[in-house]
Amino acid sequence: MPLSIPLFQTSSRSRCAAIALAMALQWVAGAAWAQVQSGAELQSTAQNWLRTAVVGAQPSALRMEVSVGGVDSRLKLAPCGNVEAYLPVGSRLWGKTRVGLRCVDGMVRWNVSVPVTVNAFGNAWVVKGHVPAGAVLTDADALQVEVDWAEETNPVLQDRAAWVGQVATRLLTTGQTLRQGMVKPAQVFRAGAQVRVVAQGVGFQISGDGQALSAGVLGQPAKVRMENGRVASGLVLDSHTIKIDL
C-alpha cells in the first residue's frame, strides 16, 4: 500500500524552510549594515583622485603637496562597491577646499565631502620693503623666492615684465607675493596733452601731431584728435606716442 503524506505536513515544512531562510538573509543583511565604510579607504580614494587631478591641471614647474582630512566620525556610511571622487561645484582645485565622495554602487547611495589642502610651491616675485599705492615698481622692489601659489586665489605675476613699470594699486608690504590686481599699467599722459600719432597700414606708415582726448595708459587704447580735426582711437605706446592701425 503506497505511503501517503498529508498535504498540511508538506506545507508546514515549506513554511518553516522559508522562515529559516528569511531569518538567515536578515542576519546576513544586518551583519553587512553593521559594517561602515572605512574612513581610511575614503581618505585614500580622495587623495589618489586629487593627486591625479592636480598633476594634470597645474604647471609642471610647481611642487605639489596634497593633504586630505578625515570623514566626520559621526557618519555611518553603508558599504559601497564603488566610491567616486569629484570636485564640488564652486570649489577650486588648490588651496583649502573640499573633495566630494559619492557611492555609485551600493544598497544605499550616499554623498559626503572631506576637507583637503593643496599647496603649489614654485618661484614667484615677492615684495621687499614697502611700495606706496600709486608708485611705479622697479627691479629693486621685488626678488624671486619659492612661495605657495595656492595661498591666495589671484594668479601670481610670474614674469618680470608683468610688474616692472606698473603702478601699485595699493600699499605693498614686505613678503607679499605679487599677484594680479596688485599692479596696473601706468598713466603716462593726461587728456589734453600733445602727442605724436603714428598711423600704419599694410606697407606704409605716416606720423603727425595730435591732442589726447583721454588719459594715456601704457598698452591701453586712448582717443586723439589729429591735426585735420579727425578723432580716432589708438594704442598708447609710450609717454608721448599713440599708434593707430589703418
Side-chain angles (χ1 to χ4, degrees):
M1 189 174 195
L3 180 63
S4 63
I5 300 176
L7 290 177
F8 77 91
Q9 291 183 5
T10 303
S11 177
S12 177
R13 289 178 182 176
S14 299
R15 285 199 300 270
C16 289
I19 292 172
L21 180 60
M23 292 178 65
L25 291 174
Q26 185 176 9
W27 181 87
V28 171
W33 280 97
Q35 299 175 0
V36 297
Q37 193 73 31
S38 167
E41 291 178 349
L42 294 178
Q43 278 184 291
S44 178
T45 298
Q47 186 147 358
N48 291 337
W49 177 86
L50 199 56
R51 286 188 184 280
T52 301
V54 297
V55 167
Q58 306 305 332
S60 58
L62 297 180
R63 177 169 55 85
M64 311 300 294
E65 292 184 359
V66 176
S67 175
V68 179
V71 179
D72 190 335
S73 60
R74 294 169 296 180
L75 293 176
K76 303 299 180 183
L77 302 177
C80 183
N82 184 16
V83 177
E84 180 181 79
Y86 67 97
L87 189 68
V89 175
S91 299
R92 57 188 184 134
L93 199 54
W94 63 1
K96 292 186 182 298
T97 183
R98 300 190 74 83
V99 166
L101 296 165
R102 55 193 170 204
C103 176
V104 295
D105 181 16
M107 295 179 64
V108 174
R109 301 293 178 91
W110 44 258
N111 194 334
V112 298
S113 65
V114 293
V116 301
T117 301
V118 179
N119 302 115
F121 295 102
N123 287 335
W125 295 98
V126 174
V127 178
K128 59 177 182 178
H130 284 56
V131 180
V136 177
L137 277 76
T138 68
D139 280 318
D141 291 318
L143 71 163
Q144 260 194 330
V145 298
E146 186 181 68
V147 301
D148 181 10
W149 286 29
E151 188 175 11
E152 297 180 23
T153 57
N154 288 348
V156 302
L157 298 178
Q158 187 178 9
D159 296 329
R160 172 186 169 278
W163 58 271
V164 171
Q166 302 280 299
V167 174
T169 59
R170 60 179 184 271
L171 171 65
L172 306 180
T173 58
T174 302
Q176 282 186 298
T177 302
L178 288 174
R179 297 176 180 269
Q180 287 185 14
M182 298 173 67
V183 298
K184 65 180 181 180
Q187 179 178 314
V188 291
F189 56 77
R190 297 181 179 180
Q194 293 300 307
V195 294
R196 180 169 174 263
V197 180
V198 176
Q200 64 180 27
V202 179
F204 73 93
Q205 183 182 86
I206 57 176
S207 63
D209 295 328
Q211 182 182 34
L213 299 181
S214 60
V217 177
L218 284 177
Q220 301 296 317
K223 288 186 176 182
V224 59
R225 178 180 287 113
M226 294 182 287
E227 292 178 311
N228 61 7
R230 177 189 170 197
V231 174
S233 180
L235 196 68
V236 178
L237 295 183
D238 53 40
S239 60
H240 58 275
T241 308
I242 295 178
K243 183 187 73 171
I244 299 175
D245 291 322
L246 299 178

